[in-house]
PDB file of all heavy atoms in Angstrom:
ATOM      1  N   LYS A   1     126.040  85.053 124.939  1.00  0.00           N
ATOM      2  CA  LYS A   1     124.831  85.534 125.539  1.00  0.00           C
ATOM      3  C   LYS A   1     123.812  85.975 124.498  1.00  0.00           C
ATOM      4  O   LYS A   1     122.597  85.763 124.624  1.00  0.00           O
ATOM      5  CB  LYS A   1     125.113  86.676 126.508  1.00  0.00           C
ATOM      6  CG  LYS A   1     125.684  86.250 127.855  1.00  0.00           C
ATOM      7  CD  LYS A   1     125.697  87.410 128.838  1.00  0.00           C
ATOM      8  CE  LYS A   1     126.047  86.923 130.238  1.00  0.00           C
ATOM      9  NZ  LYS A   1     126.023  88.015 131.232  1.00  0.00           N
ATOM     10  N   TRP A   2     124.323  86.613 123.425  1.00  0.00           N
ATOM     11  CA  TRP A   2     123.407  87.039 122.399  1.00  0.00           C
ATOM     12  C   TRP A   2     122.833  85.871 121.610  1.00  0.00           C
ATOM     13  O   TRP A   2     121.621  85.817 121.301  1.00  0.00           O
ATOM     14  CB  TRP A   2     124.037  88.029 121.431  1.00  0.00           C
ATOM     15  CG  TRP A   2     123.073  88.311 120.309  1.00  0.00           C
ATOM     16  CD1 TRP A   2     123.173  87.944 119.003  1.00  0.00           C
ATOM     17  CD2 TRP A   2     121.799  88.900 120.444  1.00  0.00           C
ATOM     18  NE1 TRP A   2     122.062  88.289 118.313  1.00  0.00           N
ATOM     19  CE2 TRP A   2     121.181  88.898 119.176  1.00  0.00           C
ATOM     20  CE3 TRP A   2     121.093  89.451 121.532  1.00  0.00           C
ATOM     21  CZ2 TRP A   2     119.907  89.385 118.971  1.00  0.00           C
ATOM     22  CZ3 TRP A   2     119.834  89.961 121.301  1.00  0.00           C
ATOM     23  CH2 TRP A   2     119.233  89.934 120.046  1.00  0.00           C
ATOM     24  N   LEU A   3     123.652  84.896 121.262  1.00  0.00           N
ATOM     25  CA  LEU A   3     123.163  83.738 120.516  1.00  0.00           C
ATOM     26  C   LEU A   3     122.126  82.972 121.336  1.00  0.00           C
ATOM     27  O   LEU A   3     121.154  82.478 120.792  1.00  0.00           O
ATOM     28  CB  LEU A   3     124.339  82.810 120.167  1.00  0.00           C
ATOM     29  CG  LEU A   3     125.321  83.427 119.143  1.00  0.00           C
ATOM     30  CD1 LEU A   3     126.487  82.447 118.893  1.00  0.00           C
ATOM     31  CD2 LEU A   3     124.638  83.801 117.827  1.00  0.00           C
ATOM     32  N   SER A   4     122.313  82.928 122.672  1.00  0.00           N
ATOM     33  CA  SER A   4     121.321  82.281 123.514  1.00  0.00           C
ATOM     34  C   SER A   4     120.004  83.080 123.501  1.00  0.00           C
ATOM     35  O   SER A   4     118.909  82.524 123.460  1.00  0.00           O
ATOM     36  CB  SER A   4     121.847  82.168 124.936  1.00  0.00           C
ATOM     37  OG  SER A   4     120.918  81.599 125.801  1.00  0.00           O
ATOM     38  N   THR A   5     120.140  84.409 123.491  1.00  0.00           N
ATOM     39  CA  THR A   5     118.950  85.269 123.438  1.00  0.00           C
ATOM     40  C   THR A   5     118.213  85.068 122.110  1.00  0.00           C
ATOM     41  O   THR A   5     116.978  84.947 122.062  1.00  0.00           O
ATOM     42  CB  THR A   5     119.317  86.729 123.601  1.00  0.00           C
ATOM     43  OG1 THR A   5     119.959  86.927 124.868  1.00  0.00           O
ATOM     44  CG2 THR A   5     118.108  87.643 123.488  1.00  0.00           C
ATOM     45  N   LEU A   6     118.960  85.003 121.024  1.00  0.00           N
ATOM     46  CA  LEU A   6     118.370  84.823 119.694  1.00  0.00           C
ATOM     47  C   LEU A   6     117.586  83.531 119.629  1.00  0.00           C
ATOM     48  O   LEU A   6     116.501  83.451 119.063  1.00  0.00           O
ATOM     49  CB  LEU A   6     119.475  84.875 118.644  1.00  0.00           C
ATOM     50  CG  LEU A   6     119.070  84.953 117.178  1.00  0.00           C
ATOM     51  CD1 LEU A   6     118.215  86.175 116.903  1.00  0.00           C
ATOM     52  CD2 LEU A   6     120.341  84.972 116.282  1.00  0.00           C
ATOM     53  N   ASP A   7     118.151  82.476 120.209  1.00  0.00           N
ATOM     54  CA  ASP A   7     117.457  81.185 120.237  1.00  0.00           C
ATOM     55  C   ASP A   7     116.185  81.280 121.082  1.00  0.00           C
ATOM     56  O   ASP A   7     115.157  80.705 120.698  1.00  0.00           O
ATOM     57  CB  ASP A   7     118.379  80.112 120.796  1.00  0.00           C
ATOM     58  CG  ASP A   7     119.502  79.733 119.821  1.00  0.00           C
ATOM     59  OD1 ASP A   7     119.350  80.027 118.615  1.00  0.00           O
ATOM     60  OD2 ASP A   7     120.524  79.171 120.259  1.00  0.00           O
ATOM     61  N   ALA A   8     116.263  81.946 122.204  1.00  0.00           N
ATOM     62  CA  ALA A   8     115.084  82.091 123.084  1.00  0.00           C
ATOM     63  C   ALA A   8     113.972  82.836 122.365  1.00  0.00           C
ATOM     64  O   ALA A   8     112.789  82.478 122.441  1.00  0.00           O
ATOM     65  CB  ALA A   8     115.443  82.758 124.368  1.00  0.00           C
ATOM     66  N   LEU A   9     114.326  83.908 121.657  1.00  0.00           N
ATOM     67  CA  LEU A   9     113.334  84.665 120.906  1.00  0.00           C
ATOM     68  C   LEU A   9     112.729  83.817 119.775  1.00  0.00           C
ATOM     69  O   LEU A   9     111.525  83.842 119.559  1.00  0.00           O
ATOM     70  CB  LEU A   9     113.966  85.926 120.295  1.00  0.00           C
ATOM     71  CG  LEU A   9     114.419  87.002 121.279  1.00  0.00           C
ATOM     72  CD1 LEU A   9     115.257  88.059 120.574  1.00  0.00           C
ATOM     73  CD2 LEU A   9     113.225  87.641 121.973  1.00  0.00           C
ATOM     74  N   GLY A  10     113.572  83.019 119.137  1.00  0.00           N
ATOM     75  CA  GLY A  10     113.101  82.136 118.090  1.00  0.00           C
ATOM     76  C   GLY A  10     112.124  81.112 118.581  1.00  0.00           C
ATOM     77  O   GLY A  10     111.138  80.784 117.879  1.00  0.00           O
ATOM     78  N   ARG A  11     112.355  80.603 119.782  1.00  0.00           N
ATOM     79  CA  ARG A  11     111.431  79.568 120.312  1.00  0.00           C
ATOM     80  C   ARG A  11     110.103  80.167 120.796  1.00  0.00           C
ATOM     81  O   ARG A  11     109.066  79.538 120.683  1.00  0.00           O
ATOM     82  CB  ARG A  11     112.106  78.848 121.488  1.00  0.00           C
ATOM     83  CG  ARG A  11     113.241  77.930 121.122  1.00  0.00           C
ATOM     84  CD  ARG A  11     113.646  77.088 122.329  1.00  0.00           C
ATOM     85  NE  ARG A  11     114.028  77.878 123.460  1.00  0.00           N
ATOM     86  CZ  ARG A  11     115.287  78.298 123.725  1.00  0.00           C
ATOM     87  NH1 ARG A  11     116.240  78.004 122.862  1.00  0.00           N
ATOM     88  NH2 ARG A  11     115.559  79.017 124.792  1.00  0.00           N
ATOM     89  N   ASN A  12     110.159  81.383 121.311  1.00  0.00           N
ATOM     90  CA  ASN A  12     108.981  81.922 122.022  1.00  0.00           C
ATOM     91  C   ASN A  12     108.210  83.013 121.325  1.00  0.00           C
ATOM     92  O   ASN A  12     106.990  83.171 121.549  1.00  0.00           O
ATOM     93  CB  ASN A  12     109.435  82.465 123.399  1.00  0.00           C
ATOM     94  CG  ASN A  12     109.930  81.356 124.312  1.00  0.00           C
ATOM     95  OD1 ASN A  12     109.156  80.677 124.963  1.00  0.00           O
ATOM     96  ND2 ASN A  12     111.248  81.177 124.358  1.00  0.00           N
ATOM     97  N   LEU A  13     108.877  83.798 120.461  1.00  0.00           N
ATOM     98  CA  LEU A  13     108.180  84.948 119.828  1.00  0.00           C
ATOM     99  C   LEU A  13     108.113  84.870 118.316  1.00  0.00           C
ATOM    100  O   LEU A  13     107.503  85.738 117.688  1.00  0.00           O
ATOM    101  CB  LEU A  13     108.849  86.255 120.237  1.00  0.00           C
ATOM    102  CG  LEU A  13     108.799  86.640 121.709  1.00  0.00           C
ATOM    103  CD1 LEU A  13     109.473  88.000 121.916  1.00  0.00           C
ATOM    104  CD2 LEU A  13     107.378  86.688 122.232  1.00  0.00           C
ATOM    105  N   VAL A  14     108.714  83.852 117.709  1.00  0.00           N
ATOM    106  CA  VAL A  14     108.764  83.749 116.256  1.00  0.00           C
ATOM    107  C   VAL A  14     107.810  82.689 115.765  1.00  0.00           C
ATOM    108  O   VAL A  14     107.775  81.569 116.299  1.00  0.00           O
ATOM    109  CB  VAL A  14     110.195  83.475 115.745  1.00  0.00           C
ATOM    110  CG1 VAL A  14     110.225  83.346 114.226  1.00  0.00           C
ATOM    111  CG2 VAL A  14     111.143  84.566 116.216  1.00  0.00           C
ATOM    112  N   SER A  15     107.025  83.026 114.729  1.00  0.00           N
ATOM    113  CA  SER A  15     106.094  82.113 114.106  1.00  0.00           C
ATOM    114  C   SER A  15     106.222  82.217 112.599  1.00  0.00           C
ATOM    115  O   SER A  15     105.764  83.221 112.004  1.00  0.00           O
ATOM    116  CB  SER A  15     104.642  82.435 114.554  1.00  0.00           C
ATOM    117  OG  SER A  15     103.701  81.639 113.837  1.00  0.00           O
ATOM    118  N   ASP A  16     106.871  81.254 111.967  1.00  0.00           N
ATOM    119  CA  ASP A  16     107.039  81.245 110.508  1.00  0.00           C
ATOM    120  C   ASP A  16     107.667  82.548 110.017  1.00  0.00           C
ATOM    121  O   ASP A  16     107.134  83.207 109.129  1.00  0.00           O
ATOM    122  CB  ASP A  16     105.688  80.998 109.814  1.00  0.00           C
ATOM    123  CG  ASP A  16     105.856  80.822 108.306  1.00  0.00           C
ATOM    124  OD1 ASP A  16     106.784  80.081 107.900  1.00  0.00           O
ATOM    125  OD2 ASP A  16     105.103  81.439 107.540  1.00  0.00           O
ATOM    126  N   SER A  17     108.747  82.944 110.618  1.00  0.00           N
ATOM    127  CA  SER A  17     109.522  84.151 110.308  1.00  0.00           C
ATOM    128  C   SER A  17     108.868  85.432 110.869  1.00  0.00           C
ATOM    129  O   SER A  17     109.511  86.462 110.904  1.00  0.00           O
ATOM    130  CB  SER A  17     109.738  84.358 108.816  1.00  0.00           C
ATOM    131  OG  SER A  17     108.600  84.958 108.180  1.00  0.00           O
ATOM    132  N   LEU A  18     107.605  85.347 111.324  1.00  0.00           N
ATOM    133  CA  LEU A  18     106.920  86.482 111.890  1.00  0.00           C
ATOM    134  C   LEU A  18     107.205  86.607 113.389  1.00  0.00           C
ATOM    135  O   LEU A  18     107.197  85.570 114.077  1.00  0.00           O
ATOM    136  CB  LEU A  18     105.416  86.394 111.661  1.00  0.00           C
ATOM    137  CG  LEU A  18     104.969  86.309 110.200  1.00  0.00           C
ATOM    138  CD1 LEU A  18     103.470  86.057 110.127  1.00  0.00           C
ATOM    139  CD2 LEU A  18     105.316  87.581 109.451  1.00  0.00           C
ATOM    140  N   VAL A  19     107.427  87.831 113.863  1.00  0.00           N
ATOM    141  CA  VAL A  19     107.904  88.024 115.229  1.00  0.00           C
ATOM    142  C   VAL A  19     106.894  88.859 116.008  1.00  0.00           C
ATOM    143  O   VAL A  19     106.507  89.949 115.585  1.00  0.00           O
ATOM    144  CB  VAL A  19     109.265  88.716 115.258  1.00  0.00           C
ATOM    145  CG1 VAL A  19     109.769  88.890 116.689  1.00  0.00           C
ATOM    146  CG2 VAL A  19     110.286  87.910 114.426  1.00  0.00           C
ATOM    147  N   TYR A  20     106.460  88.325 117.155  1.00  0.00           N
ATOM    148  CA  TYR A  20     105.641  89.073 118.091  1.00  0.00           C
ATOM    149  C   TYR A  20     106.511  90.040 118.900  1.00  0.00           C
ATOM    150  O   TYR A  20     107.664  89.693 119.197  1.00  0.00           O
ATOM    151  CB  TYR A  20     104.890  88.167 119.073  1.00  0.00           C
ATOM    152  CG  TYR A  20     103.811  87.320 118.408  1.00  0.00           C
ATOM    153  CD1 TYR A  20     104.088  86.044 117.937  1.00  0.00           C
ATOM    154  CD2 TYR A  20     102.516  87.833 118.249  1.00  0.00           C
ATOM    155  CE1 TYR A  20     103.094  85.282 117.341  1.00  0.00           C
ATOM    156  CE2 TYR A  20     101.519  87.056 117.668  1.00  0.00           C
ATOM    157  CZ  TYR A  20     101.800  85.771 117.212  1.00  0.00           C
ATOM    158  OH  TYR A  20     100.842  85.033 116.629  1.00  0.00           O
ATOM    159  N   ARG A  21     105.966  91.179 119.272  1.00  0.00           N
ATOM    160  CA  ARG A  21     106.771  92.126 120.082  1.00  0.00           C
ATOM    161  C   ARG A  21     107.024  91.537 121.463  1.00  0.00           C
ATOM    162  O   ARG A  21     108.170  91.600 121.962  1.00  0.00           O
ATOM    163  CB  ARG A  21     106.036  93.456 120.233  1.00  0.00           C
ATOM    164  CG  ARG A  21     105.899  94.249 118.975  1.00  0.00           C
ATOM    165  CD  ARG A  21     105.295  95.606 119.200  1.00  0.00           C
ATOM    166  NE  ARG A  21     103.859  95.520 119.513  1.00  0.00           N
ATOM    167  CZ  ARG A  21     103.085  96.599 119.657  1.00  0.00           C
ATOM    168  NH1 ARG A  21     103.606  97.793 119.606  1.00  0.00           N
ATOM    169  NH2 ARG A  21     101.782  96.444 119.923  1.00  0.00           N
ATOM    170  N   TYR A  22     106.000  91.026 122.093  1.00  0.00           N
ATOM    171  CA  TYR A  22     106.065  90.469 123.439  1.00  0.00           C
ATOM    172  C   TYR A  22     104.762  89.760 123.663  1.00  0.00           C
ATOM    173  O   TYR A  22     103.857  89.777 122.827  1.00  0.00           O
ATOM    174  CB  TYR A  22     106.274  91.560 124.488  1.00  0.00           C
ATOM    175  CG  TYR A  22     105.249  92.683 124.413  1.00  0.00           C
ATOM    176  CD1 TYR A  22     104.058  92.630 125.105  1.00  0.00           C
ATOM    177  CD2 TYR A  22     105.495  93.842 123.623  1.00  0.00           C
ATOM    178  CE1 TYR A  22     103.097  93.647 125.001  1.00  0.00           C
ATOM    179  CE2 TYR A  22     104.554  94.846 123.521  1.00  0.00           C
ATOM    180  CZ  TYR A  22     103.374  94.731 124.198  1.00  0.00           C
ATOM    181  OH  TYR A  22     102.433  95.737 124.091  1.00  0.00           O
ATOM    182  N   ASP A  23     104.606  89.114 124.805  1.00  0.00           N
ATOM    183  CA  ASP A  23     103.372  88.425 125.163  1.00  0.00           C
ATOM    184  C   ASP A  23     102.605  89.324 126.152  1.00  0.00           C
ATOM    185  O   ASP A  23     103.011  89.449 127.305  1.00  0.00           O
ATOM    186  CB  ASP A  23     103.697  87.079 125.805  1.00  0.00           C
ATOM    187  CG  ASP A  23     102.442  86.319 126.224  1.00  0.00           C
ATOM    188  OD1 ASP A  23     101.333  86.832 126.010  1.00  0.00           O
ATOM    189  OD2 ASP A  23     102.592  85.202 126.767  1.00  0.00           O
ATOM    190  N   PRO A  24     101.492  89.939 125.709  1.00  0.00           N
ATOM    191  CA  PRO A  24     100.760  90.823 126.612  1.00  0.00           C
ATOM    192  C   PRO A  24     100.260  90.117 127.868  1.00  0.00           C
ATOM    193  O   PRO A  24     100.062  90.765 128.900  1.00  0.00           O
ATOM    194  CB  PRO A  24      99.588  91.299 125.761  1.00  0.00           C
ATOM    195  CG  PRO A  24     100.031  91.134 124.340  1.00  0.00           C
ATOM    196  CD  PRO A  24     100.896  89.922 124.372  1.00  0.00           C
ATOM    197  N   ALA A  25     100.053  88.793 127.798  1.00  0.00           N
ATOM    198  CA  ALA A  25      99.594  88.064 128.966  1.00  0.00           C
ATOM    199  C   ALA A  25     100.701  88.019 130.037  1.00  0.00           C
ATOM    200  O   ALA A  25     100.437  88.084 131.247  1.00  0.00           O
ATOM    201  CB  ALA A  25      99.167  86.650 128.597  1.00  0.00           C
ATOM    202  N   ALA A  26     101.966  87.912 129.564  1.00  0.00           N
ATOM    203  CA  ALA A  26     103.084  87.862 130.513  1.00  0.00           C
ATOM    204  C   ALA A  26     103.507  89.238 130.960  1.00  0.00           C
ATOM    205  O   ALA A  26     104.056  89.397 132.070  1.00  0.00           O
ATOM    206  CB  ALA A  26     104.270  87.168 129.856  1.00  0.00           C
ATOM    207  N   SER A  27     103.253  90.250 130.119  1.00  0.00           N
ATOM    208  CA  SER A  27     103.624  91.644 130.451  1.00  0.00           C
ATOM    209  C   SER A  27     102.452  92.567 130.065  1.00  0.00           C
ATOM    210  O   SER A  27     102.439  93.130 128.972  1.00  0.00           O
ATOM    211  CB  SER A  27     104.889  92.037 129.699  1.00  0.00           C
ATOM    212  OG  SER A  27     105.262  93.367 130.015  1.00  0.00           O
ATOM    213  N   PRO A  28     101.438  92.698 130.940  1.00  0.00           N
ATOM    214  CA  PRO A  28     100.244  93.492 130.590  1.00  0.00           C
ATOM    215  C   PRO A  28     100.618  94.907 130.167  1.00  0.00           C
ATOM    216  O   PRO A  28     101.444  95.572 130.833  1.00  0.00           O
ATOM    217  CB  PRO A  28      99.445  93.497 131.911  1.00  0.00           C
ATOM    218  CG  PRO A  28      99.888  92.249 132.617  1.00  0.00           C
ATOM    219  CD  PRO A  28     101.339  92.101 132.260  1.00  0.00           C
ATOM    220  N   ASP A  29     100.003  95.374 129.078  1.00  0.00           N
ATOM    221  CA  ASP A  29     100.350  96.691 128.549  1.00  0.00           C
ATOM    222  C   ASP A  29      99.240  97.715 128.734  1.00  0.00           C
ATOM    223  O   ASP A  29      99.290  98.796 128.147  1.00  0.00           O
ATOM    224  CB  ASP A  29     100.727  96.589 127.057  1.00  0.00           C
ATOM    225  CG  ASP A  29      99.643  95.938 126.201  1.00  0.00           C
ATOM    226  OD1 ASP A  29      98.520  95.810 126.682  1.00  0.00           O
ATOM    227  OD2 ASP A  29      99.953  95.564 125.064  1.00  0.00           O
ATOM    228  N   GLY A  30      98.202  97.350 129.535  1.00  0.00           N
ATOM    229  CA  GLY A  30      97.143  98.298 129.815  1.00  0.00           C
ATOM    230  C   GLY A  30      96.062  98.385 128.767  1.00  0.00           C
ATOM    231  O   GLY A  30      95.193  99.245 128.835  1.00  0.00           O
ATOM    232  N   LEU A  31      96.118  97.464 127.774  1.00  0.00           N
ATOM    233  CA  LEU A  31      95.112  97.477 126.693  1.00  0.00           C
ATOM    234  C   LEU A  31      94.474  96.119 126.559  1.00  0.00           C
ATOM    235  O   LEU A  31      95.112  95.090 126.824  1.00  0.00           O
ATOM    236  CB  LEU A  31      95.788  97.883 125.356  1.00  0.00           C
ATOM    237  CG  LEU A  31      96.392  99.285 125.317  1.00  0.00           C
ATOM    238  CD1 LEU A  31      97.305  99.412 124.103  1.00  0.00           C
ATOM    239  CD2 LEU A  31      95.292 100.339 125.281  1.00  0.00           C
ATOM    240  N   LEU A  32      93.233  96.095 126.075  1.00  0.00           N
ATOM    241  CA  LEU A  32      92.536  94.858 125.843  1.00  0.00           C
ATOM    242  C   LEU A  32      92.939  94.263 124.466  1.00  0.00           C
ATOM    243  O   LEU A  32      93.334  94.994 123.568  1.00  0.00           O
ATOM    244  CB  LEU A  32      91.013  95.070 125.877  1.00  0.00           C
ATOM    245  CG  LEU A  32      90.427  95.595 127.200  1.00  0.00           C
ATOM    246  CD1 LEU A  32      88.951  95.872 127.013  1.00  0.00           C
ATOM    247  CD2 LEU A  32      90.663  94.587 128.329  1.00  0.00           C
ATOM    248  N   GLY A  33      92.798  92.956 124.336  1.00  0.00           N
ATOM    249  CA  GLY A  33      93.005  92.316 123.006  1.00  0.00           C
ATOM    250  C   GLY A  33      94.445  91.897 122.813  1.00  0.00           C
ATOM    251  O   GLY A  33      95.327  92.092 123.627  1.00  0.00           O
ATOM    252  N   GLN A  34      94.638  91.285 121.637  1.00  0.00           N
ATOM    253  CA  GLN A  34      95.939  90.714 121.300  1.00  0.00           C
ATOM    254  C   GLN A  34      96.563  91.489 120.129  1.00  0.00           C
ATOM    255  O   GLN A  34      95.887  92.068 119.299  1.00  0.00           O
ATOM    256  CB  GLN A  34      95.777  89.238 120.884  1.00  0.00           C
ATOM    257  CG  GLN A  34      95.358  88.330 122.047  1.00  0.00           C
ATOM    258  CD  GLN A  34      96.458  88.129 123.040  1.00  0.00           C
ATOM    259  OE1 GLN A  34      97.621  87.992 122.680  1.00  0.00           O
ATOM    260  NE2 GLN A  34      96.092  88.126 124.334  1.00  0.00           N
ATOM    261  N   ASP A  35      97.892  91.454 120.080  1.00  0.00           N
ATOM    262  CA  ASP A  35      98.653  91.996 118.978  1.00  0.00           C
ATOM    263  C   ASP A  35      98.763  90.952 117.863  1.00  0.00           C
ATOM    264  O   ASP A  35      98.740  89.741 118.129  1.00  0.00           O
ATOM    265  CB  ASP A  35     100.096  92.315 119.408  1.00  0.00           C
ATOM    266  CG  ASP A  35     100.286  93.793 119.675  1.00  0.00           C
ATOM    267  OD1 ASP A  35      99.410  94.577 119.316  1.00  0.00           O
ATOM    268  OD2 ASP A  35     101.317  94.145 120.243  1.00  0.00           O
ATOM    269  N   GLY A  36      98.964  91.399 116.633  1.00  0.00           N
ATOM    270  CA  GLY A  36      99.494  90.532 115.611  1.00  0.00           C
ATOM    271  C   GLY A  36     100.998  90.525 115.730  1.00  0.00           C
ATOM    272  O   GLY A  36     101.578  91.115 116.653  1.00  0.00           O
ATOM    273  N   THR A  37     101.675  89.893 114.781  1.00  0.00           N
ATOM    274  CA  THR A  37     103.119  89.960 114.755  1.00  0.00           C
ATOM    275  C   THR A  37     103.527  91.305 114.196  1.00  0.00           C
ATOM    276  O   THR A  37     102.842  91.884 113.351  1.00  0.00           O
ATOM    277  CB  THR A  37     103.709  88.850 113.890  1.00  0.00           C
ATOM    278  OG1 THR A  37     103.171  88.919 112.543  1.00  0.00           O
ATOM    279  CG2 THR A  37     103.406  87.486 114.473  1.00  0.00           C
ATOM    280  N   PHE A  38     104.643  91.823 114.683  1.00  0.00           N
ATOM    281  CA  PHE A  38     105.062  93.194 114.379  1.00  0.00           C
ATOM    282  C   PHE A  38     106.123  93.147 113.272  1.00  0.00           C
ATOM    283  O   PHE A  38     107.207  92.607 113.476  1.00  0.00           O
ATOM    284  CB  PHE A  38     105.622  93.869 115.638  1.00  0.00           C
ATOM    285  CG  PHE A  38     105.335  95.309 115.733  1.00  0.00           C
ATOM    286  CD1 PHE A  38     104.030  95.753 115.870  1.00  0.00           C
ATOM    287  CD2 PHE A  38     106.369  96.240 115.695  1.00  0.00           C
ATOM    288  CE1 PHE A  38     103.761  97.126 115.957  1.00  0.00           C
ATOM    289  CE2 PHE A  38     106.093  97.607 115.803  1.00  0.00           C
ATOM    290  CZ  PHE A  38     104.788  98.037 115.928  1.00  0.00           C
ATOM    291  N   SER A  39     105.816  93.725 112.118  1.00  0.00           N
ATOM    292  CA  SER A  39     106.665  93.480 110.942  1.00  0.00           C
ATOM    293  C   SER A  39     108.052  94.068 111.070  1.00  0.00           C
ATOM    294  O   SER A  39     109.018  93.498 110.551  1.00  0.00           O
ATOM    295  CB  SER A  39     105.965  94.040 109.693  1.00  0.00           C
ATOM    296  OG  SER A  39     104.782  93.298 109.435  1.00  0.00           O
ATOM    297  N   ILE A  40     108.216  95.205 111.775  1.00  0.00           N
ATOM    298  CA  ILE A  40     109.589  95.717 111.947  1.00  0.00           C
ATOM    299  C   ILE A  40     110.441  94.715 112.722  1.00  0.00           C
ATOM    300  O   ILE A  40     111.621  94.507 112.429  1.00  0.00           O
ATOM    301  CB  ILE A  40     109.599  97.110 112.604  1.00  0.00           C
ATOM    302  CG1 ILE A  40     111.026  97.651 112.524  1.00  0.00           C
ATOM    303  CG2 ILE A  40     109.100  97.082 114.014  1.00  0.00           C
ATOM    304  CD1 ILE A  40     111.176  99.084 113.023  1.00  0.00           C
ATOM    305  N   CYS A  41     109.829  94.064 113.715  1.00  0.00           N
ATOM    306  CA  CYS A  41     110.576  93.059 114.510  1.00  0.00           C
ATOM    307  C   CYS A  41     110.961  91.871 113.626  1.00  0.00           C
ATOM    308  O   CYS A  41     112.033  91.281 113.803  1.00  0.00           O
ATOM    309  CB  CYS A  41     109.708  92.597 115.682  1.00  0.00           C
ATOM    310  SG  CYS A  41     109.311  93.894 116.866  1.00  0.00           S
TER     311      CYS A  41
END
């Protein structure tokens, strides 16, 4: 289950080793604008 999750995150939230926290369009966070990739992630 974890390896499947890791693959899903890699396909959807990872860009050249950089990782987005989440997609604000899919999960509105109450703020305008877009995030960059989050370095701790």
Side-chain angles (χ1 to χ4, degrees):
K1 282 190 171 182
W2 173 249
L3 294 177
S4 178
T5 300
L6 190 58
D7 288 340
L9 293 170
R11 289 191 303 270
N12 293 278
L13 295 183
V14 179
S15 173
D16 186 46
S17 83
L18 300 174
V19 181
Y20 291 93
R21 292 185 288 183
Y22 53 89
D23 179 0
S27 180
D29 56 15
L31 297 165
L32 299 175
Q34 293 290 320
D35 259 348
T37 57
F38 215 65
S39 293
I40 188 174
C41 297

